[in-house]
Amino acid sequence: MNQGGAPQGTLRRIFGGLGLVLGGKAGAGLISLAYLVIATRALGPHDYGVLVLIHGYVTTVCGIVEFPAWQAVVRYGAEARRDEATHRLARLLRFGARVELLGGLAAILTAAICAPLIGPRLGWPETALVLSLPYSLAVLGSVRSTPAGYLQLINRFDLLGLHNLVQPLVRLTGAGLAAFAGWGLTGFLVAWLLAALAEFAVLWALGLWFAHQHLGRDLHHPEPGNAVADNPGIWRFLLASNADVTLSELAGRAAPLIVGWVLGPTAAGLFSVAQRATVLIAQPAQILGNTAYPEMARMVAGGQGGSALRHTVLRVTGIALAASLPIIALVWLFAPQIVRLIAGPEFAGAAGLMVVLVLARALALAGPPATAALTALGRPGWSMSANLTASLLFLPILPLLLKLQGLDGAGLQAIGQAATASLLLLILAWKRSAQA
């Protein structure tokens, strides 16, 4: 290990895990481009915008109401594995599953109840309003963090990478059938719903299989005990970490809905196409935070929460920024051609916004590693505060910017929020690690 620096083994494991997951994400990205090409050409800007708004509405409700447990599974599960306490780990997994599934049920009911109230303001046609009720089940596509957390805990990032292919493969198959048969918006909504359900079912099946393999009978019949008593502070940790995740993702999820609310479905369709290029940066960044978190949690548990952790955060962020530069350059130079290639000439108005949104995503690259460090240090609330501050400063002004600048206003808002959140997160991560 470098004196005062990051253990080289830690960096190798972080980026090794990133590479395994990105292998699946790379394949998923190519497949998603294929179904995007089909959907945009089959539906056009307006109906594609409606598809984006319905799915965005469901995922936004899910992000606010659901209660993912993966961070608690990783943090407290690492302690249980260190102590070889299989019964404690089994109780933790069962607790996480109950909490998450109950949160998912609440999210489904909320999405279904509120859809008839929100949909008309977002410009959904009558057919879409009817379909939005069963489409609320698409919430389940995000209710899968407990098995994902367990697979991270046992370093099966290869399986997480393969799982990333499930949703886009189902969407591609469904999009192809819907376009060929001329089923229109209804066909695409059914395809997107089936993809979400498959995403849910496959990851839970993988998590349960490997938990059964490793824990055996203990998983189903652990010794009497209580996960809350086993893991002091778990509820406080869950509340803080979930609030942080909700706030950090709220702007990205809510922005298309605000665009649709102010400018209509066609503008929401253009905004969604402009966002597509940002996936090349955003998904690796989020995965990097997820793969870094277990390693940082182990560093903190091993007494390396000071300069070594700070060095790790800076190295991870610097490497991520360097890797994003070719993507920024490519989008900057060829944005009009990229938009025409993936969506067709009807979406040409998305080109300029695409460049700005990619720059905003690059500015946000410091966020996931800094958040991972703060969470590993037991301070997810600090990360929540940074994301809350950035959201409160910039999300409320998005409608005004849209009215004044049109779609360009969404780019200005994204730049300001990303820069503010990243700066605050880095400052807080540095301050907390200095106290470790």
Side-chain angles (χ1 to χ4, degrees):
M1 184 183 78
N2 295 337
Q3 187 67 28
Q8 292 301 314
T10 297
L11 290 173
R12 281 195 298 270
R13 286 191 295 272
I14 290 173
F15 284 98
L18 174 67
L20 289 172
V21 180
L22 277 184
K25 280 293 185 184
L30 292 174
I31 298 169
S32 68
L33 285 178
Y35 70 64
L36 178 66
V37 168
I38 296 171
T40 51
R41 284 163 172 78
L43 297 176
H46 181 272
D47 279 3
Y48 178 70
V50 173
L51 175 64
V52 167
L53 288 172
I54 293 176
H55 186 72
Y57 160 76
V58 169
T59 56
T60 300
V61 171
C62 181
I64 294 171
V65 178
E66 70 170 340
F67 213 77
W70 74 271
Q71 288 179 319
V73 167
V74 171
R75 183 188 177 193
Y76 294 101
E79 296 175 358
R81 279 170 59 84
R82 179 196 62 199
D83 299 336
E84 298 183 354
T86 58
H87 291 280
R88 176 183 168 188
L89 179 56
R91 288 191 292 268
L92 174 65
L93 292 175
R94 292 165 65 88
F95 169 79
R98 285 195 299 270
V99 167
E100 182 166 17
L101 291 173
L102 286 173
L105 177 61
I108 291 171
L109 293 175
T110 303
I113 291 169
C114 295
L117 305 175
I118 302 297
R121 190 62 184 83
L122 293 174
W124 300 352
E126 187 63 32
T127 302
L129 281 171
V130 172
L131 290 171
S132 67
L133 296 178
Y135 195 81
S136 299
L137 291 172
V139 161
L140 291 173
S142 297
V143 183
R144 50 183 172 77
S145 82
T146 297
Y150 183 69
L151 292 176
Q152 288 184 49
L153 192 63
I154 62 174
N155 291 317
R156 292 308 304 263
F157 292 99
D158 56 331
L159 295 175
L160 292 172
L162 288 173
H163 174 261
N164 287 326
L165 298 172
V166 172
Q167 184 224 62
L169 281 172
V170 177
R171 280 190 180 184
L172 177 61
T173 303
L177 289 172
F180 179 78
W183 292 335
L185 179 61
T186 299
F188 281 91
L189 282 170
V190 171
W192 264 231
L193 173 58
L194 291 175
L197 296 177
E199 196 174 13
F200 168 84
V202 170
L203 194 53
W204 277 97
L206 284 171
L208 286 170
W209 172 263
F210 280 92
H212 177 74
Q213 292 295 307
H214 293 144
L215 300 177
R217 185 178 180 277
D218 293 348
L219 176 65
H220 307 287
H221 304 285
E223 293 176 350
N226 186 292
V228 176
D230 290 340
N231 306 285
I234 190 171
W235 271 117
R236 184 173 63 253
F237 180 87
L238 273 172
L239 289 169
S241 61
N242 276 288
D244 179 43
V245 170
T246 298
L247 291 170
S248 63
E249 296 180 354
L250 180 62
R253 287 173 167 170
L257 299 181
I258 296 173
V259 170
W261 190 285
V262 176
L263 301 178
T266 299
L270 295 175
F271 181 82
S272 176
V273 169
Q275 276 191 317
R276 178 58 53 173
T278 70
V279 172
L280 296 171
I281 296 177
Q283 286 186 344
Q286 190 58 52
I287 297 166
L288 184 59
N290 292 347
T291 56
Y293 173 58
E295 294 301 327
M296 291 182 181
R298 293 187 188 104
M299 290 179 70
V300 172
Q304 299 174 350
S307 61
L309 187 67
R310 289 197 298 274
H311 190 71
T312 299
V313 170
L314 293 178
R315 287 283 301 276
V316 169
T317 302
I319 293 170
L321 283 169
S324 73
L325 292 178
I327 298 172
I328 296 171
L330 184 67
V331 173
W332 190 297
L333 293 172
F334 300 107
Q337 293 86 342
I338 292 171
V339 169
R340 284 198 297 270
L341 177 65
I342 65 176
E346 291 181 286
F347 290 82
L353 180 60
M354 178 179 284
V355 175
V356 180
L357 292 181
V358 166
L359 289 172
R361 282 294 188 183
L363 289 173
L365 281 172
T371 293
L374 286 168
T375 306
L377 288 162
R379 290 292 185 271
W382 289 23
S383 179
M384 177 193 69
S385 298
N387 286 309
L388 176 62
T389 300
S391 294
L392 289 178
L393 284 174
F394 290 95
L395 198 57
I397 67 172
L398 178 56
L400 177 62
L401 290 173
L402 290 170
K403 287 184 178 296
L404 294 175
Q405 301 289 328
L407 269 180
D408 291 341
L412 296 174
Q413 185 269 343
I415 288 282
Q417 182 160 335
T420 301
S422 288
L423 181 60
L424 289 174
L425 285 166
L426 283 172
I427 291 172
L428 291 174
W430 197 272
K431 179 180 179 181
R432 175 56 184 161
S433 61
Q435 299 171 356

